[in-house]
């Protein structure tokens, strides 16, 4: 059986970015939520499962330090070749496993990654990593398939989310700032309902 890394590496090796079912040209849904946050050159942003997203290119404009994570070494290789910048640090790590080093970040951004974790153990490790990483006063932006969203993506089953479940798993140190339902229309003209939610760590 293929490992998770092999699964994702194969996808990134076989397809151009615009052929990926999650490819988005219009990043405004994410950027509008990030407008709630003062991001500057002294900020550190964690991009969970960034893949080859153009969001990374866009966030470079903030001058913030970017910790760019993915389970796929292939995706990180393609991204680092495209960007050629010292503003990014690449973290090849499976977010369903505990971090073996510690980071402190101002913003954690996840679009379409958390929903691939299925077991309670995987999901708990993900949220423990997040809670150990986001500073007090920092933010978390989660954008996942909503309760009415697709049940599968990239050949994998997904766990769909509501804002309530996100809040429950984050716990009472995190306060909801804003959440929106958003229907993403993918490159194959399929409608993919997402829930976008921005939380602030208050304690
Ligand atoms: C659907 S893609 C989304 C990519 C990117 N966030 C975007 O919006 O374009 C899912 C991404 O999550 C990565 N991924 C999947 N499982 C992961 C895990 N357990 N840890 C870290 N990254 C993971 C995949 O390699 C892939 O890049």
């Amino acid at each position: 059986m293929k490992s998770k890394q092999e699964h994702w590496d194969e996808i990134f090796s076989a397809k151009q970015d615009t052929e990926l079912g999650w490819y988005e040209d219009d990043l405004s849904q994410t950027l509008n939520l990030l407008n709630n946050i003062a991001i500057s050159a002294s900020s550190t942003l964690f991009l969970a499962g960034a893949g080859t997203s153009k969001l990374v290119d866009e966030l470079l404009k903030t001058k913030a330090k970017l910790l760019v994570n993915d389970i796929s070494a292939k995706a990180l290789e393609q991204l680092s070749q495209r960007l050629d910048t010292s503003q990014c640090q690449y973290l090849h790590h499976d977010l369903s496993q505990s971090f073996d080093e510690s980071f402190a970040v101002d913003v954690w951004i996840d679009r379409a990654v958390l929903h691939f974790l299925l077991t309670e153990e995987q999901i708990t490790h993900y949220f423990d990593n997040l809670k150990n990483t986001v500073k007090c006063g920092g933010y978390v932006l989660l954008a996942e398939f909503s309760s009415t969203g697709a049940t599968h993506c990239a050949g994998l089953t997904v766990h769909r989310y509501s804002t309530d479940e996100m809040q429950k798993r984050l716990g009472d140190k995190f306060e909801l700032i804003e959440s929106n339902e958003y229907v993403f229309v993918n490159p194959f003209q399929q409608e993919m309902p997402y829930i976008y939610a921005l939380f602030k760590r208050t304690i």
Side-chain angles (χ1 to χ4, degrees):
M1 199 179 128
K2 257 188 287 186
S3 70
K4 280 188 285 181
Q5 177 179 338
E6 285 165 342
H7 176 83
W8 288 102
D9 277 346
E10 277 182 18
I11 292 176
F12 285 107
S13 300
K15 297 187 189 232
Q16 299 295 313
D17 285 358
T18 51
E19 297 169 335
L20 299 169
W22 53 89
Y23 172 79
E24 66 174 355
D25 210 27
D26 175 5
L27 302 163
S28 53
Q29 185 64 22
T30 298
L31 295 176
N32 287 343
L33 276 179
L34 292 179
N35 276 339
N36 285 289
I37 309 172
I39 297 175
S40 68
S42 60
S43 307
T44 302
L45 314 185
F46 185 90
L47 304 182
T52 52
S53 171
K54 286 172 67 179
L55 181 64
V56 186
D57 309 53
E58 194 59 33
L59 293 176
L60 283 173
K61 296 178 189 165
T62 65
K63 307 285 181 215
K65 179 177 176 189
L66 305 185
L67 301 186
V68 182
N69 158 262
D70 210 280
I71 197 173
S72 165
K74 190 73 197 165
L76 294 179
E77 181 192 309
Q78 290 179 4
L79 198 59
S80 62
Q81 284 172 359
R82 182 172 95 214
L83 300 175
D84 189 25
T85 168
S86 58
Q87 215 179 312
C88 292
Q89 182 183 334
Y90 297 95
L91 300 173
H92 181 219
H93 186 86
D94 177 349
L95 292 175
S96 69
Q97 308 281 321
S98 295
F99 281 159
D100 42 23
E101 51 185 317
S102 58
F103 315 97
V105 307
D106 299 289
V107 191
W108 176 291
I109 302 168
D110 174 329
R111 172 179 178 264
V113 185
L114 166 64
H115 61 209
F116 290 107
L117 308 188
L118 300 180
T119 67
E120 272 308 306
E121 190 185 9
Q122 292 170 343
I123 297 171
T124 300
H125 278 142
Y126 176 98
F127 279 98
D128 286 349
N129 287 333
L130 182 160
K131 291 173 197 174
N132 291 332
T133 299
V134 176
K135 295 176 190 170
C136 184
Y139 291 83
V140 177
L141 194 171
L142 299 177
E144 315 300 332
F145 284 162
S146 73
S147 318
T148 58
T151 54
H152 291 77
C153 178
L156 301 172
T157 305
V158 304
H159 175 121
R160 298 181 293 177
Y161 278 85
S162 62
T163 311
D164 283 353
E165 182 174 355
M166 291 172 176
Q167 177 74 75
K168 201 165 135 235
R169 291 191 181 274
L170 284 167
D172 54 15
K173 290 183 179 169
F174 291 81
E175 177 189 313
L176 179 66
I177 304 296
E178 186 178 337
S179 75
N180 307 300
E181 302 266 355
Y182 171 67
V183 179
F184 167 61
V185 180
N186 79 7
F188 314 110
Q189 300 310 309
Q190 294 162 323
E191 294 192 348
M192 315 294 277
Y194 274 73
I195 179 79
Y196 274 69
L198 180 69
F199 296 86
K200 180 171 185 173
R201 179 167 182 172
T202 54
I203 305 172

